[in-house]
């Protein structure tokens, strides 16, 4: 008995070490493989100024007019302050902003999905957005704790064809799965959303209850479903390779930059054309609104090749 | 029988060990979320030192090349900077160089034509000017007097306007130039966040920063030479305001063309999101009606106060970097809205020609018109003298309020 127990324990130890060694050895090759993959397929940048200048004026105007964004904002009454702030600030710059809630709120109006499960709610919201898209070909999915600059989103996708599947944002990798992080906003082209909505009924590929033993987060589940339709996550970056979708707030990012680039804090920090920030308080979001759309130094012009006018019905932009 | 069972036990243990290790590795290592970003990102974040574009001259920093964004056309700003030269002096002290003044030096002060950091002690490496005073809240006016005299003696010819700011003030110098382009340095006038008590024409908040014309600076110095002005109180902004009033220098209206304030004695979050209680001193201090909410502050804001290190960089990022591509702002003062389809270069030329003309017209606006305007405003207001001694103690806490002594 004792010798058997001893053998068992010896076996366990050796088994554990064997597994560790095996994974250490195998971990070197996948990393180099995926790095070369990343270079070619997983980054989406905005068109450069040169590329845009090659387009004719009429083509530019056509693109400017056609480019519309449908914002899908997933709200809940428990996040009322964020909901109200999103309503009052950045969502006014969406061509269509639809708020989807878990239950109705007396204070604010939204499309009531009457659904407690957040994954099912997200599916319902995306389906509803797809069915009510009209002529709109780009979709931006966010929570109200995200702050988005829709004009910069339009700039990013300006020359991208929405009839191609695009699934953009801050791309993360978990094991083998690459997904777009939810809290920094998810961009879907019309084709990507179409494929997604068509795979929803397939319980095998895209179940409502989730596939793993433990419940995967919504952004990972979304990535799994999209993977089955041949749509893969891509990281949104500016011309210098800086992230456009930020999962942190501007204060955190500046603090980090103060530690890492003390002599070049602002330029070492965030992109000038950033699209999203997350994890900011409602008040900080009001300040960002002022900072993005209003506060500026007199006499500096950018000669942008697109023109976006202020929306009706607001005075904080 | 014994041998096979131990072998089986060993095998079982081996399998169990492998499985356990695999699952625990999965939790800790494999399933960790990595951010997918290109290598270019990593090089972008490790930015090197910017080439220096300023020259040290004694205790001053002379900006040879105003900062420029690589993608922008700053013709209008450059033209303004040639016509409206600004010397910025920053009130600081030896204990605040690393915690505050350093961040001013790294951000907004780079947009001034000349920068001086005024301290009680000289420090050639920063550089700071040594005023030969002590430090402390009670030294504020002494330091201000010494600082302006120093500027008068050493840098009078290098600028047209002279700005005083604290080491926790953030200033958008380009917007200050726009504001001042409507005036000439020969006018006896100064601008800032205008407060009304204790003076006939009001005075400017020290923390929000104030800017004197060349003539105003001459009169300030003359006031002390002729003893018309003396060190009456350490309450720097009020005392300076009283001296300037005595010397016939006008307290200007720094609001934009929509009557929105440009100099601010608080941080943007406070101004944009707070409803001030009716008992708050601010209500009785502001010369112009307070507007709460987003219209509190001009798009072409000049200053904020109580700005700590991180916020300096955040504001620099908001002002000079982060923007909404292609966005045409609601407020477009003295500039025509761009025609949509005009090729960029042509549009710029049209725009700049129009702007140049507009700016020149404004410069002809004379001081006499200002005086008339000011007198009319004055007649509307009741005299608030210094008779009320009970409330005289308030300014010490309000205008010069700061935590701890650090000047």
């Amino acid at each position: 008995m004792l010798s058997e127990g001893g053998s068992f324990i010896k076996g366990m130890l050796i088994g554990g070490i064997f597994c560790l060694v095996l994974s250490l050895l195998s971990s070197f090759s996948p990393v180099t493989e995926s790095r070369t993959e990343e270079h070619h397929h997983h980054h989406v940048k905005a068109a450069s100024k040169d590329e845009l200048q090659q387009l004719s004026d009429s083509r530019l105007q056509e693109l400017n007019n056609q480019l519309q964004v449908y914002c899908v904002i997933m709200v809940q009454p428990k996040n009322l302050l964020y909901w109200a702030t999103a309503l009052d600030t950045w969502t006014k710059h969406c061509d269509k902003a639809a708020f989807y809630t878990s239950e109705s709120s007396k204070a604010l109006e939204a499309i009531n999905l009457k659904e407690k499960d957040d994954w099912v709610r997200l599916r319902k919201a995306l389906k509803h957005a797809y069915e009510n898209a009209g002529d709109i070909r780009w979709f931006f999915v966010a929570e109200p704790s995200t702050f988005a600059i829709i004009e910069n989103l339009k700039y990013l996708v300006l020359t991208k064809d929405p009839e191609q599947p695009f699934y953009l944002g801050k791309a993360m990798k978990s094991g083998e799965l690459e997904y777009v992080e939810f809290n920094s906003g998810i961009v879907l082209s019309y084709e990507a959303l179409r494929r997604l909505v068509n795979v929803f009924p397939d319980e095998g590929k895209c179940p409502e209850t989730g596939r793993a033993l433990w419940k995967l987060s919504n952004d990972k589940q979304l990535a799994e479903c999209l993977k089955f339709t041949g749509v893969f996550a891509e990281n949104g970056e500016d011309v210098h390779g800086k992230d456009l979708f930020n999962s942190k707030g501007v204060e955190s990012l500046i603090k980090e930059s103060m530690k890492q680039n003390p002599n070049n804090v602002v330029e070492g920090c965030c992109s000038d054309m950033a699209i999203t920030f997350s994890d900011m308080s409602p008040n900080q979001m009001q300040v960002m609104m002022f900072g993005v759309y209003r506060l500026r130094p007199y006499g500096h012009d950018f000669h942008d090749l697109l023109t976006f006018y202020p929306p009706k019905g607001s005075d904080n932009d | 029988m014994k041998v096979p069972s131990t072998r089986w036990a060993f095998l079982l243990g081996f399998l169990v060990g492998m499985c356990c290790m695999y699952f625990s590795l999965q939790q800790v290592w494999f399933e960790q979320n990595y951010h997918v970003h290109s290598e270019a990102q990593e090089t972008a974040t490790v930015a090197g030192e910017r080439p220096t574009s300023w020259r040290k001259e004694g205790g001053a920093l002379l900006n040879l090349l105003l900062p420029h964004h690589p993608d922008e056309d700053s013709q209008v700003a450059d033209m303004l900077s040639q016509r409206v030269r600004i010397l910025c002096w920053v009130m600081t002290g030896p204990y605040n160089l690393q915690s505050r003044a350093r961040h001013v030096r790294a951000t907004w002060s780079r947009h001034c034509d000349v920068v001086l950091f005024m301290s009680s002690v000289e420090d050639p490496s920063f550089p700071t000017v040594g005023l030969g005073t002590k430090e402390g809240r009670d030294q504020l006016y002494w330091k201000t007097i010494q600082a302006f005299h120093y500027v008068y003696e050493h840098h009078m010819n290098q600028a047209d306007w002279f700005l005083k700011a604290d080491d926790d003030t953030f200033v958008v110098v380009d917007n200050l130039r726009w504001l001042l382009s409507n005036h000439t340095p020969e006018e006896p006038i100064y601008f800032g966040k205008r407060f009304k008590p204790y003076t006939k024409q009001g005075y400017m908040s020290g923390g929000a920063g104030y800017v004197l014309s060349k003539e105003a600076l001459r009169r300030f110095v003359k006031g002390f030479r002729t003893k018309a002005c003396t060190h009456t109180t350490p309450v720097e902004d009020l005392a300076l305001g009283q001296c300037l009033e005595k010397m016939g220098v006008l307290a200007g209206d720094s609001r934009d063309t929509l009557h929105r304030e440009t100099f601010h004695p608080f941080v943007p979050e406070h101004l944009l999101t707070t409803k001030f209680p009716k008992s708050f001193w601010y209500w009785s201090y502001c010369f112009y009606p307070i507007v709460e909410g987003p219209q509190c502050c001009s798009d072409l804001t000049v200053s904020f106060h109580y700005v700590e290190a991180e916020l300096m960089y955040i504001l620099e990022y908001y002002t000079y970097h982060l923007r909404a591509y292609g966005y045409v702002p609601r407020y477009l003062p003295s500039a025509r809205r761009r025609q949509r389809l005009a090729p960029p270069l042509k549009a710029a030329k049209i725009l700049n020609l129009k702007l140049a003309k507009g700016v020149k017209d404004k410069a002809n606006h004379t001081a006499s018109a200002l005086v008339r305007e000011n007198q009319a405003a004055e007649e509307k207001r009741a005299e608030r003298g210094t008779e009320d001694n009970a409330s005289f103690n308030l300014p010490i806490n309000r205008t010069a309020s700061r935590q701890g002594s650090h000047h």
Side-chain angles (χ1 to χ4, degrees):
Chain A
M1 256 320 258
L2 227 70
S3 57
E4 275 167 10
S7 312
F8 183 82
I9 291 170
K10 264 190 235 169
M12 256 191 80
L13 283 167
I14 292 176
I17 293 166
F18 182 74
C19 182
L20 197 64
V21 169
L22 214 66
S23 45
L24 272 168
L25 285 171
S26 62
S27 75
F28 286 118
S29 29
V31 169
T32 48
E33 260 175 50
S34 50
R35 197 160 278 170
T36 47
E37 255 182 66
E38 278 164 33
H39 254 287
H40 299 301
H41 303 298
H42 297 268
H43 311 282
V44 170
K45 298 190 178 182
S48 69
K49 202 160 187 178
D50 297 322
E51 281 168 19
L52 282 180
Q53 276 174 337
Q54 277 169 25
L55 296 169
S56 69
D57 284 341
S58 56
R59 176 76 183 128
L60 259 179
Q61 193 179 10
E62 204 187 314
L63 287 173
N64 201 154
N65 293 340
Q66 280 171 4
L67 193 47
Q68 294 191 304
V69 177
Y70 186 126
C71 295
V72 174
I73 304 117
M74 307 300 295
V75 297
Q76 289 181 72
K78 68 176 182 181
N79 295 331
L80 203 64
L81 191 51
Y82 276 107
W83 179 350
T85 305
L87 191 61
D88 189 42
T89 58
W90 63 268
T91 58
K92 289 188 173 150
H93 292 248
C94 306
D95 295 280
K96 183 165 179 169
F99 291 78
Y100 296 92
T101 179
S102 54
E103 48 187 300
S104 67
S105 158
K106 292 205 181 96
L108 295 170
E109 267 182 41
I111 298 166
N112 188 0
L113 298 171
K114 297 186 182 118
E115 180 60 61
K116 288 243 151 55
D117 183 301
D118 50 356
W119 169 233
V120 178
R121 202 162 62 235
L122 181 59
R123 291 163 61 113
K124 283 190 178 174
L126 289 171
K127 188 156 182 289
H128 183 274
Y130 175 70
E131 285 161 4
N132 292 280
D135 289 330
I136 301 181
R137 289 290 168 270
W138 289 96
F139 301 84
F140 176 67
V141 191
E143 293 170 314
S145 53
T146 308
F147 186 96
I149 304 167
I150 300 296
E151 288 81 4
N152 291 347
L153 170 53
K154 289 187 178 181
Y155 178 54
L156 177 65
V157 299
L158 178 67
T159 51
K160 316 283 182 286
D161 182 6
E163 304 300 324
Q164 294 296 312
F166 281 99
Y167 166 42
L168 318 169
K170 180 167 188 185
M172 302 290 286
K173 197 176 166 86
S174 169
E176 283 306 308
L177 181 70
E178 278 187 27
Y179 65 98
V180 168
E181 223 177 32
F182 198 0
N183 76 346
S184 36
I186 302 173
V187 180
L188 292 166
S189 67
Y190 185 78
E191 176 60 19
L193 184 59
R194 188 191 68 79
R195 293 191 192 185
L196 185 63
V197 167
N198 286 339
V199 86
F200 277 155
D202 191 334
E203 273 294 308
K205 292 180 181 165
C206 193
E208 275 195 3
T209 48
R211 44 182 57 254
L213 288 170
W214 60 93
K215 194 169 185 292
L216 274 181
S217 61
N218 288 348
D219 39 20
K220 288 183 187 164
Q221 296 213 53
L222 200 69
E224 291 273 7
C225 295
L226 280 166
K227 220 166 97 165
F228 273 113
T229 67
V231 182
F232 301 96
E234 291 177 289
N235 197 43
E237 293 166 8
D238 71 7
V239 115
H240 307 287
K242 283 190 188 176
D243 282 336
L244 291 172
F245 297 84
N246 296 291
S247 55
K248 296 185 191 172
V250 72
E251 194 173 321
S252 306
L253 292 166
I254 287 282
K255 276 190 185 153
E256 273 174 29
S257 191
M258 283 171 77
K259 289 200 188 100
Q260 286 166 10
N261 321 297
N263 293 322
N264 217 346
V265 176
V266 176
E267 270 154 47
C269 175
C270 335
S271 174
D272 286 12
M273 311 304 302
I275 297 174
T276 61
F277 291 93
S278 187
D279 199 30
M280 288 170 63
S281 74
N283 280 353
Q284 286 173 331
M285 286 162 79
Q286 294 280 6
V287 177
M288 180 166 261
M289 195 73 184
F290 178 73
V292 171
Y293 291 104
R294 294 183 50 212
L295 181 64
R296 62 191 181 278
Y298 184 79
H300 296 259
D301 202 350
F302 284 91
H303 302 306
D304 292 332
L305 295 165
L306 297 178
T307 312
F308 299 114
Y309 288 102
K312 293 196 178 66
S314 60
D315 73 340
N316 55 4
D317 53 19
Chain B
M1 273 304 276
K2 274 189 185 174
V3 174
S5 65
T6 50
R7 197 172 286 169
W8 284 120
F10 181 83
L11 211 63
L12 196 64
F14 187 83
L15 285 167
V16 169
M18 278 228 346
C19 291
C20 286
M21 184 54 82
Y22 180 75
F23 278 119
S24 46
L25 277 178
Q26 199 170 54
Q27 290 309 314
V28 168
W29 184 2
F30 299 147
E31 291 300 322
Q32 261 194 359
N33 304 336
Y34 293 104
H35 179 36
V36 171
H37 60 81
S38 59
E39 279 178 10
Q41 158 99 14
E42 308 198 20
T43 52
T45 50
V46 180
E49 272 222 39
R50 255 181 319 214
T52 45
S53 59
W54 47 28
R55 192 181 79 221
K56 265 193 213 175
E57 199 186 81
L61 287 167
L62 273 71
N63 273 326
L64 306 167
L65 261 177
L66 294 183
H68 279 116
H69 204 284
D71 300 327
E72 74 179 2
D73 165 17
S74 52
Q75 281 182 51
V76 175
D78 289 345
M79 190 191 65
L80 255 188
S81 70
Q82 281 162 20
R83 285 191 51 245
V84 186
R85 297 173 304 164
I86 301 184
L87 179 147
C88 306
W89 73 261
V90 180
M91 175 97 84
T92 185
Y95 306 115
N96 284 342
L97 293 187
Q98 290 311 310
S99 56
R100 292 180 178 214
R102 176 166 69 104
H103 306 298
V104 170
R105 189 183 57 184
T107 56
W108 64 264
S109 64
R110 298 175 304 126
H111 301 268
C112 306
D113 295 274
V114 183
V115 185
L116 286 142
F117 290 93
M118 300 293 192
S119 170
S120 53
V121 175
E122 187 190 352
D123 179 340
S125 64
F126 191 86
T128 66
V129 170
L131 297 172
T133 61
K134 293 184 286 225
E135 288 294 329
R137 207 188 282 175
D138 57 328
Q139 298 294 308
L140 284 178
Y141 194 38
W142 264 128
K143 289 175 81 174
T144 307
I145 296 165
Q146 296 304 319
F148 273 122
H149 277 78
Y150 180 91
V151 166
Y152 179 80
E153 276 158 48
H154 296 94
H155 298 280
M156 204 53 170
N157 296 324
Q158 290 171 337
D160 307 306
W161 297 84
F162 303 86
L163 171 81
K164 175 260 172 184
D166 284 346
D167 52 19
D168 60 352
T169 309
F170 180 85
V171 180
V172 186
V173 184
D174 297 77
N175 292 342
L176 182 56
R177 289 200 180 94
W178 174 76
L179 177 75
L180 299 175
S181 64
N182 219 3
H183 302 270
T184 70
E186 304 312 318
E187 290 169 42
I189 194 168
Y190 77 124
F191 294 96
K193 166 69 183 181
R194 202 166 169 188
F195 282 157
K196 62 185 174 195
Y198 316 120
T199 49
K200 289 198 189 91
Q201 64 166 4
Y203 66 96
M204 306 305 173
S205 153
Y210 47 77
V211 61
L212 274 63
S213 68
K214 192 173 274 200
E215 180 56 29
L217 178 55
R218 276 194 207 109
R219 293 197 188 188
F220 182 72
V221 171
K222 182 177 171 192
F224 279 88
R225 196 175 64 239
T226 60
K227 302 277 197 292
C229 298
T230 54
H231 181 277
T232 48
T233 156
V235 184
E236 157 241 340
D237 42 15
L238 177 59
L240 184 122
Q242 286 169 332
C243 172
L244 290 178
E245 188 172 279
K246 222 183 226 183
M247 300 305 293
V249 174
L250 250 104
D253 181 355
S254 57
R255 296 176 301 169
D256 70 13
T257 53
L258 291 181
H259 294 306
R260 295 181 302 194
E261 295 271 10
T262 55
F263 287 79
H264 302 288
F266 301 120
V267 295
E269 186 172 329
H270 199 171
L271 292 153
L272 291 165
T273 64
T274 319
K275 282 221 172 327
F276 302 118
K278 288 298 173 198
S279 56
F280 192 45
W281 60 267
Y282 196 54
W283 290 103
S284 55
Y285 265 63
C286 289
F287 192 87
Y288 302 109
I290 294 178
V291 177
E292 287 174 311
Q295 298 307 313
C296 64
C297 314
S298 173
D299 290 21
L300 301 181
T301 277
V302 173
S303 72
F304 292 112
H305 187 215
Y306 297 120
V307 177
E308 293 181 337
E310 290 98 29
L311 190 57
M312 286 275 174
Y313 295 107
I314 293 172
L315 288 173
E316 180 90 356
Y317 176 61
Y318 280 160
T319 312
Y320 290 97
H321 292 266
L322 183 63
R323 64 194 185 87
Y325 187 81
Y327 187 69
V328 179
R330 288 179 199 277
Y331 184 57
L332 289 169
S334 67
R336 201 165 52 115
R337 274 182 198 253
R338 262 200 329 274
Q339 295 306 314
R340 280 248 273 119
L341 292 180
L345 218 59
K346 221 181 8 176
K349 284 207 180 119
I350 298 168
L351 196 66
N352 289 328
L353 280 171
K354 278 222 161 241
L355 281 166
K357 187 178 179 299
V359 167
K360 229 168 75 174
D361 288 342
K362 277 183 182 167
N364 292 329
H365 189 84
T366 57
S368 55
L370 276 167
V371 171
R372 277 197 301 272
E373 202 180 68
N374 201 51
Q375 277 176 346
E378 196 193 309
E379 271 152 39
K380 288 181 190 165
R381 250 167 287 286
E383 265 206 34
R384 277 175 183 73
T386 50
E387 305 105 1
D388 189 359
N389 285 318
S391 57
F392 185 75
N393 289 320
L394 291 173
I396 297 170
N397 294 326
R398 309 288 183 246
T399 57
S401 62
R402 228 162 323 286
Q403 291 144 349
S405 61
H406 58 78
H407 282 306

